[in-house]
Amino acid sequence: MTRTTSDAIERRFGRFGGRYVPETLIPALDELTEAYAAAKADPAFHAELDRLLREYVGRPTPLYEARRLSAALGGRARIFLKREDLNHTGAHKINNAVGQALLALRLGKRRITAETGAGQHGVATATAAALLGLECDVFMGEEDMRRQELNVFRMELLGARVIPVASGTRTLKDATNEAIRDWVTHVRTTHYVIGSVVGPHPYPAMVRDFQSVIGREAREQVQAAAGRLPDALVACVGGGSNSMGLFHPFKDDAGVRMYGVEAAGEGLDTGRHAATLTAGRFGVLHGAASYLLQDEDGQVLPAHSISAGLDYPGVGPEHAYFKESGRATYLAVTDDEALWGLELLSRTEGIIPALESAHAIAALPRILDELPEGAIVVVCLSGRGDKDMPQVAARRRATLAEQGGGGR
Amino acid sequence: MSRFTDLFKRLEARGERALIAYLAVGDPDLPTFLAAARAALGSGADALELGVPYSDPLADGPAIQAAGQRALAAGFRLPWLFEALSALRAEFDAPLAVMTYVNPVLQAGARRFVERVRAAGGDALLVPDLPADEAGELSALCREAGLDFVPFVAPTSTRERMAAAAEVGSGFVYCVSVTGVTGARAQLPAELPAFLEEVRRRVPLPRAVGFGVARAEQARALKPHAEGVIVGSALVERVAEGGGAAAVAARVGTHTASLKAALRGDP
């Protein structure tokens, strides 16, 4: 009985996915797979999760038609924003964090851990831990702690411990390594809350399921608002959880195109980017076979993006599958383009997006060119930009100084 | 018969336990690594594990992470591994194993990687992030090429998982002593003998205990419970002290000798 249900959670997506982790963790992954399969089949679990998403997180999030943004981009398409930025804690990450924290309770584990890049997943996990009375440790690269000081403070205020990671590139990749090492060590008492659709089975499928609330809501909302399914979905892709959450409920709707937007950093030709699907190739990172940025010997290359949340050399295995099967299209926008997207949305709609989400906005001109007149487009606005203000301000000052202008 | 199988048979007959030394290839450069490897093999190590430096060694603690970083900073590329294997094979008849994360194997091409290890004189392959249920293909390639594929079992492994390890493995079984990453431990867990006894019942291969074993008294305490011990971090820490190839070799040699003394003859 449990066998049947746990087998229903995909272990592989084509040649991607799997469980490439030390043997020590395999029994914990088996246990997690069983527990998740049981939870998935349990109406009481869904009732509790739905209640928290509604009463605590603030779901459903609105689907907002961004008319002035559409007009600014030529007025040939109707652009809808799925407002994940309006969630409690300011991003989509909380959808998954609450789900996994509830699962930790079912597993009888009182300590949860997380890796974080931009800090949004760390904040979401610390929040869920406070909500459910769990102990929480968050691993964060030193470089990211510098870039996202405010989120470090928020996590600590929420009662979590933020553990600085000084190894490797001191960013999300190394925070993930350290979180896995911690999990190997404390596997009997700890549930590791992975923040994206990455990692060993069952995480990619499980995190996708928790984030699919985005796409399920959007699918109903867009039909109510526009009377039909959209022509295209657009979302940024780092590990790929907000995009997979939006895409997945539409995957069998053949007429709905999917665009994942990666970070081209300083430009694909500079080597300083995080465009894993665009410029990487097949390999194994953090327990799953997928695409990654690597050298000829298989050493993982450091990623670069102005957005800490996209600064990751891997990507979820199901995205790799969507790329190879042609179900989704992946493109990349640079740091500068993302900043342009951030300003555009701020000025046309009064919505300051996170730098991650700004990548999705910045890709719109290119995507709209491929769509018919009057196309309906749903963009996942995965998070709000407050956390990024110090960095954006510093960058603007630097640009103005370079141009020799004083600015206003 | 493989060199590892043969080694464990010979030692068994003498009431002796195997000492398997681990060093990271190219740490801190290729000549110093070779000097340390020769010192280990010349001072009582029965076999050597050559660690392939990797950017994301998620089963390793700080000592081996740092060793890999030093080697990568020195310019480690995969051909160094094959050079090192060939050089050591020319001088020693001891079993040589390659320990690598799975991604470098995939990028080289699994078949090609296995064949190159064999051609350079390697005897076994250990892949810490390739558990038994993902290892079928690589284990078959190893068998074809005449390499042992060494499986891992951990204190959390169920009986079924131990059986799965037995199915894909040969040469010996790597028994992870602790739930954790590599690195010297002050004390080994009290449950270790019970775990090793369970492995003996489930896996018909010689047991070598690794992760955490650093000192001679720990090696001696394990003598009744396993057929071998693997020491990595404690040796790598002696490499990290630096001072040139001769100084590194002297420290590695001294520590190897003290460990091996604890595994010889009567307890």
Side-chain angles (χ1 to χ4, degrees):
Chain A
M1 173 72 191
T2 45
R3 179 55 56 197
T4 323
T5 49
S6 63
D7 281 354
I9 299 164
E10 304 102 300
R11 178 176 172 138
R12 288 201 173 261
F13 310 92
R15 63 179 178 139
F16 305 104
R19 301 194 296 189
Y20 300 89
V21 292
E23 169 64 23
T24 309
L25 290 179
I26 297 290
L29 292 171
D30 281 338
E31 178 192 43
L32 179 60
T33 307
E34 293 290 331
Y36 175 57
K40 201 175 169 178
D42 180 359
F45 180 80
H46 287 287
E48 179 64 359
L49 178 58
D50 291 348
R51 183 184 71 79
L52 288 174
L53 290 179
R54 192 173 62 245
E55 296 173 4
Y56 184 76
V57 174
R59 302 205 73 91
T61 58
L63 184 77
Y64 164 74
E65 181 164 7
R67 292 191 174 82
R68 278 177 40 81
L69 173 69
S70 304
L73 292 172
R76 296 174 60 254
R78 293 178 70 186
I79 300 170
F80 291 84
L81 304 178
K82 181 59 176 163
R83 297 290 309 274
E84 293 300 300
D85 60 316
L86 294 178
N87 281 323
H88 179 44
T89 71
H92 70 292
K93 294 291 185 186
I94 190 81
N95 303 328
N96 168 53
V98 166
Q100 286 202 50
L102 278 180
L103 207 55
L105 286 182
R106 280 177 83 105
L107 288 161
K109 295 187 172 172
R110 304 298 310 177
R111 174 178 180 254
I112 58 177
T113 57
E115 82 296 338
T116 199
Q120 291 305 101
H121 174 56
V123 167
T125 307
T127 299
L131 171 69
L132 299 173
L134 298 167
E135 192 190 333
C136 179
D137 287 337
V138 179
F139 295 87
M140 189 168 187
E142 283 184 344
E143 168 69 11
D144 289 338
M145 288 179 74
R146 188 186 59 73
R147 287 195 281 192
Q148 302 289 347
E149 213 182 337
L150 184 60
N151 272 342
V152 175
F153 180 70
R154 291 167 80 193
M155 287 183 267
E156 288 173 348
L157 198 61
L158 290 160
R161 252 192 334 163
V162 180
I163 301 173
V165 176
S167 59
T169 56
R170 302 172 190 206
T171 60
L172 181 54
K173 163 180 91 90
D174 303 281
T176 306
N177 288 336
E178 213 47 48
I180 294 173
R181 290 183 187 117
D182 176 273
W183 196 34
V184 173
T185 308
H186 303 288
V187 61
R188 289 182 171 117
T189 56
T190 296
H191 172 66
Y192 171 30
V193 181
I194 290 185
S196 194
V197 288
V198 301
H201 166 71
Y203 283 103
M206 179 174 75
V207 175
R208 174 203 69 205
D209 290 350
F210 286 136
Q211 291 295 1
S212 288
V213 67
I214 302 173
R216 284 197 306 273
E217 288 176 4
R219 201 168 181 285
E220 278 184 27
Q221 289 166 323
V222 71
Q223 290 184 95
R228 64 177 179 90
L229 287 171
D231 297 282
L233 308 172
V234 183
C236 65
V237 180
S241 71
N242 88 84
S243 45
M244 192 50 75
L246 176 65
F247 293 175
H248 203 264
F250 293 89
K251 78 171 171 22
D252 298 324
D253 299 316
V256 181
R257 301 189 208 181
M258 300 169 174
Y259 293 92
V261 184
E262 296 192 300
E266 294 174 7
L268 292 178
D269 52 350
T270 65
R272 287 179 52 77
H273 61 79
T276 308
L277 289 164
T278 308
R281 59 174 208 280
F282 181 83
V284 166
L285 179 65
H286 295 145
S290 184
Y291 271 52
L292 56 135
L293 300 177
Q294 56 186 324
D295 72 11
E296 280 167 51
D297 279 355
Q299 305 287 349
V300 182
L301 293 170
H304 168 83
S305 169
I306 190 174
S307 141
L310 302 182
D311 196 347
Y312 182 64
V315 67
E318 197 165 11
H319 278 296
Y321 177 65
F322 277 6
K323 176 191 164 79
E324 288 201 351
S325 68
R327 182 63 190 89
T329 303
Y330 296 88
L331 63 162
V333 308
T334 63
D335 290 349
D336 287 339
E337 290 173 308
L339 285 165
W340 171 82
L342 184 141
E343 291 192 12
L344 177 68
L345 189 65
S346 301
R347 290 180 184 200
T348 55
E349 298 289 349
I351 297 170
I352 302 176
L355 277 170
E356 291 78 14
S357 325
H359 283 72
I361 302 294
L364 286 172
R366 268 189 267 168
I367 293 167
L368 295 182
D369 276 348
E370 295 184 10
L371 299 176
E373 179 93 33
I376 292 168
V377 180
V378 175
V379 182
C380 189
L381 200 68
S382 56
R384 67 178 183 226
D386 307 41
K387 69 183 173 59
D388 297 316
M389 290 305 98
Q391 207 195 352
V392 173
R395 176 97 175 206
R396 284 191 63 151
R397 276 195 297 272
T399 309
L400 290 173
E402 251 172 52
Q403 292 166 348
R408 280 174 291 182
Chain B
M1 195 186 309
S2 83
R3 279 199 181 85
F4 274 106
T5 307
D6 181 54
L7 169 71
F8 282 103
K9 282 224 155 98
R10 276 188 289 115
L11 294 180
E12 178 73 39
R14 300 210 295 260
E16 201 174 314
R17 303 305 192 207
L19 173 64
I20 302 173
Y22 169 99
L23 292 164
V25 178
D27 169 28
D29 52 51
L30 193 54
T32 310
F33 161 78
L34 285 170
R38 289 183 183 111
L41 289 168
S43 309
D46 298 292
L48 185 71
E49 253 182 51
L50 293 88
V52 176
Y54 187 51
S55 54
D56 294 78
L58 52 76
D60 285 306
I64 291 179
Q65 286 176 42
Q69 285 303 313
R70 286 191 297 271
L72 289 169
F76 172 87
R77 297 294 312 267
L78 212 50
W80 289 21
L81 169 68
F82 305 115
E83 256 179 71
L85 277 172
S86 302
L88 294 169
R89 177 51 70 228
E91 298 169 43
F92 298 93
D93 194 42
L96 302 173
V98 171
M99 164 89 97
T100 177
Y101 287 88
V102 71
N103 197 47
V105 179
L106 296 176
Q107 301 315 315
R111 180 180 293 276
R112 198 169 124 77
F113 186 91
V114 163
E115 282 167 359
R116 289 182 76 185
V117 167
R118 187 70 189 136
D123 300 291
L125 192 57
L126 295 85
V127 187
D129 57 348
L130 197 68
D133 41 342
E134 301 283 2
E137 195 186 329
L138 190 60
S139 137
L141 287 170
C142 284
R143 200 172 310 125
E144 247 177 73
L147 281 187
D148 283 322
F149 181 83
V150 176
F152 287 76
V153 293
T156 51
S157 299
T158 57
R159 289 171 179 186
E160 292 76 24
R161 302 236 17 117
M162 289 187 189
E167 209 164 293
V168 296
S170 67
F172 64 96
V173 55
Y174 194 124
C175 305
V176 176
S177 71
V178 293
T179 56
V181 293
T182 59
R185 303 292 198 283
Q187 264 184 323
L188 292 174
E191 317 83 72
L192 187 53
F195 160 58
L196 293 171
E197 176 55 21
E198 186 67 20
V199 179
R200 190 188 62 76
R201 272 189 254 152
R202 308 280 159 203
V203 187
L205 292 171
R207 298 158 298 172
V209 182
F211 285 38
V213 188
R215 301 190 313 275
E217 54 271 32
Q218 291 170 319
R220 189 174 300 116
L222 283 168
K223 220 184 146 219
H225 305 293
E227 286 69 47
V229 300
I230 301 162
V231 179
S233 294
L235 294 177
V236 158
E237 281 164 5
R238 281 157 176 85
V239 176
E241 288 170 34
V248 164
R251 283 192 303 269
V252 168
T254 304
H255 194 60
T256 304
S258 83
L259 288 161
K260 182 61 195 183
L263 296 167
R264 263 195 207 104
D266 297 322

